[in-house]
Structure formats: structure tokens, C-alpha cells
Amino acid sequence: MSRPEIVFVLARARNGVIGRDGDLPWRIPADLKHFKALTQGAPMLMGRKTFESLPGLLPGRRHIVLTRDRGWRAGGAEVAHSVDAAIALADADRLSVVGGAEIYALLLPRADRIELTEVDDAPEGDTVVPAFDPAEWREDAREAHPAADGKPAFAFVTLRRR
């Protein structure tokens, strides 16, 4: 099979924060539904910390974990020790890359599309992803959602490599 379309799926605050203490620094139910819809039916690639932060295996998706730890194993996880091995293991038309920051940085040169939830907030956090370079990425779609019920405004944005 040829290389899959590599799609980043992430939520990022204005200040670049994507996580705090192994969790999301916000609770936006619409973003979780959006994440599920975007990743359903495709293998997901993530780092060990991201896998361990999940509430459990997410139904309808394969969990490929990229880790340097040769002895690491977890029920329901397929393990890869290099980017090339992870992509080969996916053996699919599309590969959803779901975090964390190190995994995004490793795969950014190979990414084809970014499904970004822009969160209109600047929370404290310990995991940051820099803004995506507009010289490399063009915005194809944007769906804005206002702040409501104590939750920040956000937008679902699709970026494609130029």
C-alpha cells in the first residue's frame, strides 16, 4: 500500500497549549465529538503518554503507539519504535496523528492535513505545539463556535499543505 494520508487531529489554545498534567486544559464536548468523527475508522498514531492519558481504548479505531521504550506494551496497543515503522504498521488510506507534542513535531514534515480545533483561550499548560507556518499551510475550512455555558469560543479549522 502507498503511504497513507497523514492527518493531525488536535485542539490548541491561542498560546499553543495542548495539554496540562496529561489532560486537556478545557472541556468542550463538541470538540470531543468532532475528534471522534474525525478519527473513527482509521488507525490513530500517538505517543505513550497520550495513550496512557486516554480513559481506555477508543472504539472503532486502532491505537498505534510510537515509543522509544522497547519493553513497553499495553493491551489493545500496537507498538512502533520509529516513524517509518508506525506508518507501515498503519497499512491504511489515512493515519490520524493524535499527539502529543513530540509526535506532532516528528511527523510534521510528513503531514498532509491538519484538523485543528482553535480554542480561544490561553490556559496554563505543560504541553505546547507551535503555530503552523502559513507559508506551508493554507486554510481550507473554518467553522466558528461562540463561547457558551462557561466554555471558550472555538473554531474547527482544516489546514492543507501548500
Side-chain angles (χ1 to χ4, degrees):
M1 174 171 274
S2 62
R3 182 178 83 78
E5 178 187 28
I6 296 176
V7 181
F8 282 17
V9 182
L10 74 151
R12 183 182 169 280
R14 282 191 315 265
N15 60 354
V17 167
I18 65 166
R20 178 176 58 223
D21 299 327
D23 201 0
L24 296 173
W26 48 73
R27 286 284 170 260
I28 303 173
D31 179 50
L32 298 176
K33 286 176 71 174
H34 189 63
F35 176 89
K36 180 178 180 179
L38 289 169
T39 59
Q40 197 72 38
M44 295 185 309
L45 175 61
M46 65 200 80
R48 177 193 52 80
K49 290 179 197 171
T50 298
F51 179 82
E52 291 174 350
S53 77
L54 296 176
L57 295 175
L58 304 179
R61 292 154 277 193
R62 291 171 46 215
H63 297 64
I64 300 172
V65 177
L66 180 57
T67 178
R68 290 180 289 264
D69 183 345
R70 297 261 171 203
W72 187 86
R73 299 279 178 272
E78 300 172 59
V79 180
H81 302 292
S82 73
V83 170
D84 288 333
I87 291 170
L89 187 58
D91 191 31
D93 293 333
R94 176 175 45 107
L95 175 61
S96 297
V97 178
V98 299
E102 285 184 57
I103 303 302
Y104 292 128
L106 280 171
L107 279 120
L108 185 60
R110 301 181 192 210
D112 300 299
R113 178 168 43 109
I114 299 170
E115 294 294 344
L116 176 64
T117 300
E118 289 182 344
V119 180
D120 189 17
D121 198 3
E124 289 186 25
D126 52 24
T127 310
V128 174
V129 169
F132 298 103
D133 184 351
E136 292 184 39
W137 297 95
R138 74 175 188 280
E139 185 174 313
D140 265 8
R142 174 177 291 269
E143 180 185 316
H145 298 267
D149 302 321
K151 297 178 182 8
F154 62 94
F156 296 137
V157 180
T158 300
L159 304 172
R160 293 195 188 274
R161 188 170 293 283
R162 291 187 184 275

